[in-house]
Amino acid sequence: MESVQKENVLVEKVCEIYHKISKLENLKPSKDVDSLFTELVRTCIPPSSININSLPANIQEIRSKLIRLCGEAEGHLEAHFSTILGSFPNPLHHLNQFPYYSNYLKLSRLEFHILTEHYSAFGQAPKRLAFVGSGPLPLTSIVLASYHLKDTIFHNYDIDSSANSMASHLVSSDSDLSQRMVFHTANIMDVTDELKGYDVVFLAALVGMDIDEKVKVIDHLAKYMAPGALLMLRSAHGARVFLYPVVEPQQLQGFQLLSVFHPDDDVINSVVISRKIADPVNNDHDDDGHHHHHHELGIESFMPLSCKYCEFQAFNNPLGQMKMIDN
């Protein structure tokens, strides 16, 4: 009974914050916007056994709307700080102006650790990585490229050309990153054969704001990514599902799930890593019947292995206290 009561209090609180957020004039950074979203995050971070699927339809609908509002607010926050950073002669020297920068340093270290664990079979770092939904402040790409994957080429995809021009401006004064960061303005659903060229694809939490949209994107990636390539995506767990969409293992059709990491601290997003399975019927051929030599990418084709549905990684998590906003 106690847990049911706790869940009811939580849901009531989330709904109360949702109604306040939905009455705001806009979601650009301001005192009211910042305090309401901070309150929402604090409400959703403590561990919770809440099962989102068992909630009534009206609460499900509020959750869907809230995720979209969170996404919109996050976009405004990133654009706001990208503009501030872009006003400096060397924007990358001032990244700590962004209030969540230290979180990105820690989260990227965690994601690099998970990625390395599953990529080490190739005996080398990924050569080409795509980040889908990179936005105006592509901190994941910047941090990974600066500290962890120092020889990797990063291809950043965003549907919004103004987000891409802001992002490319941030790295333009850095002689190394400006050579290794490429920005593409495209809907990822229109990107096909280029996806075969990436060793790793990152999918931002807010690409596909509801599960139907997300599954369409995952199915598209499954169709065009190279067999053996890794897909890293961000999900949510517990009450954090009010902030971000959830990806379930069974929605990763065409991928072998490798591991799921659910943080139990102030990092909001769960990290899911999976490997593109080789198509046993049409292995290494595209829709036109052309043969693709995936080993040129340092990737061998993988036949499906028995899917380990949720191998939780017991990392010694050094992340400490932090809030996480996904880019």
Side-chain angles (χ1 to χ4, degrees), residues 193 285-290:
D193 285 346
H285 289 76
D286 64 15
D287 293 344
D288 304 314
H290 295 124

Side-chain angles (χ1 to χ4, degrees), residues 217-229:
V217 174
I218 291 168
D219 288 349
H220 179 77
L221 294 173
K223 185 175 179 183
Y224 290 104
M225 279 171 63

Side-chain angles (χ1 to χ4, degrees), residues 249-264:
Q250 63 270 24
Q251 288 153 346
L252 291 167
Q253 294 295 317
F255 293 92
Q256 176 207 354
L257 181 69
L258 298 174
S259 73
V260 179
F261 179 72
H262 293 310
D264 56 6

